[in-house]
Amino acid sequence: MQTLSTTSSRVSPETAGMLLGLLGVAIFSLTLPFTRLAVADLDPTFAAMARAVVAALLAAGWLRWQRAPLPPRAALPGLAAVAAGCVIGFPLLTSMAMRTLPAAHGAVLVGILPLATALFAALRGHERPSPAFWASALLGSSLVVGFALRQSGGSLHAADLALFAAVLAAAFGYAEGGRLAQTLGGQQVISWALLLALPVALPLTLWQAWDAGAALAAARLPAWLGFGYTCVFSMFLGFFFWYRGMALGGVARVGQVQLVQPFLTLLGAALVLGEPLRAAHVAFALAVIAVVAVGRRTAVRRRLS
C-alpha cells in the first residue's frame, strides 16, 4: 500500500512503526464491541470462522492483484502460527467469551496482550528487551489486570479463561507475524495466513450454516454489521498496518502500543453497545499511556532472522 511506504519514508522507521501500530490498534480496538454485537444473534463458531472465510477471499483478491509470489517454504511454519493464533484461535475464543462477558470487561483482560507478545518474541530469540522494558511491560499489564479485578469485584468470570487463552494465541501469532513481516511484508503475511486457515475455517463455516440456517436467517441487521466489521477490518485491513508497524519498529516495542487498546475498546463499547464509560476508565487509561511512553524509550535489542 502506497500510504504505508509514504508514511515510513518521511519519518524514522521506529516512529513510523509506532504510528502504524497505533492505527492497527485503533482498528482492533473495536473488535470486541462488534464481536459482541455479532454473537448476540450469530453462533460464536460461525461468527469466528465465517469472518476468516470472508477475509480469506479478500486476501486472495489482494494477492492476485499484487501478483504476489508464493511464500518461501521456510516461512510456512511462521505463517501457520499466524493462522492458528490470529485467524482461528483468537476469533473463536473471543466470540465464545463475548456471549457472556461485557465488551468493557473483556477489553481490560486483552490489555495483557503486549506483555505476552513481547514474551513470545523473546522466547523465539528474535528480540532481547532490556530490564527497563520488562519493568514497563509488567507495570502496564499489572494496571490492566488490576482494573479487571476491580471491575469484577475481585474475581474473574468463567469466560475469562477463554479470553486469557485468546491472548496467548494472538500473542504467538503477532510475534511470528511481526518477524515474517520484515521480509514478506505485513500484507502478504496476513493474506497467506488467511489462505492457510481456509481448509479449517471453510468446513466449519459450512457446517454451522447448515446446522443453524434458521437462526442465521433470523439474525438482525446490527449482528450482520458487527460481523462485517470483524471480517473486513479486524481480520484483514487492521493487520496491514499492524504487521508493517512491527516490522519497522520491532515486535516488543510496537506491541506496547496495545496497552491503550483496552481503553479505546471501552470507548467503542460505550459508543457501539451503550456500555457505561466511567471516570475510573479514564484514570486507568492515562496511567497506561504514561507506561507506554516510558516503554517507548527503553532499549530493545533486535536481531533479524
Side-chain angles (χ1 to χ4, degrees):
M1 293 177 67
Q2 185 177 0
T3 54
L4 300 189
S5 58
T6 301
T7 301
S8 60
S9 65
R10 293 178 180 175
V11 296
S12 69
E14 192 173 87
T15 300
M18 295 294 286
L19 292 174
L20 292 171
L22 183 60
L23 182 55
V25 163
I27 292 172
F28 293 149
S29 67
L30 294 177
T31 297
L32 290 185
F34 278 113
T35 297
R36 182 161 175 80
L37 202 63
V39 299
D41 291 344
L42 303 176
D43 180 86
T45 301
F46 174 84
M49 296 298 96
R51 91 189 206 190
V53 171
V54 173
L57 295 176
L58 295 175
W62 184 87
L63 289 169
R64 181 176 176 82
W65 177 57
Q66 292 289 312
R67 297 181 179 178
L70 291 173
R73 183 172 298 180
L76 292 180
L79 290 172
V82 176
C86 298
V87 180
I88 301 296
F90 184 82
L92 183 59
L93 291 165
T94 53
S95 293
M96 292 176 176
M98 286 299 97
R99 264 289 172 95
T100 56
L101 285 179
H105 183 86
V108 291
L109 297 188
V110 174
I112 66 172
L113 189 51
L115 178 60
T117 302
L119 175 62
F120 277 114
L123 289 176
R124 291 283 290 147
H126 308 300
E127 301 191 0
R128 289 292 182 266
S130 66
F133 178 91
W134 284 116
S136 64
L138 286 169
L139 177 58
S141 298
S142 297
L143 282 171
V144 295
V145 171
F147 180 78
L149 292 172
R150 179 179 182 272
Q151 291 297 105
S152 60
S155 61
L156 300 177
H157 297 273
D160 292 333
L161 294 177
L163 277 179
F164 282 126
V167 165
L168 292 177
F172 185 47
Y174 283 172
E176 288 298 305
R179 178 181 64 86
L180 289 174
Q182 295 171 5
T183 54
L184 292 181
Q187 300 97 317
Q188 289 201 41
V189 169
I190 188 57
S191 295
W192 288 118
L194 283 163
L195 291 181
L196 280 178
L198 198 55
V200 175
L202 182 57
L204 288 173
T205 299
L206 295 176
W207 175 66
Q208 284 294 323
W210 176 269
D211 188 57
L216 295 178
R220 295 164 293 179
L221 179 60
W224 288 113
L225 291 176
F227 172 74
Y229 182 93
T230 62
C231 291
V232 177
F233 294 96
S234 302
M235 195 87 274
F236 187 58
L237 292 180
F239 283 98
F240 277 42
F241 300 101
W242 179 238
Y243 280 144
R244 177 60 174 163
M246 287 196 291
L248 290 172
V251 174
R253 177 164 289 162
V254 175
Q256 294 306 291
V257 177
Q258 288 175 296
L259 283 171
V260 304
Q261 181 172 331
F263 306 98
L264 294 177
T265 302
L266 289 171
L267 180 61
L271 295 174
V272 175
L273 302 172
E275 295 182 5
L277 179 65
R278 300 183 176 89
H281 299 164
V282 178
F284 272 88
L286 293 175
V288 170
I289 290 171
V291 172
V292 172
V294 173
R296 171 72 174 79
R297 291 171 173 78
T298 59
V300 179
R301 297 193 301 274
R302 302 177 62 192
R303 175 170 60 87
L304 297 180
S305 57

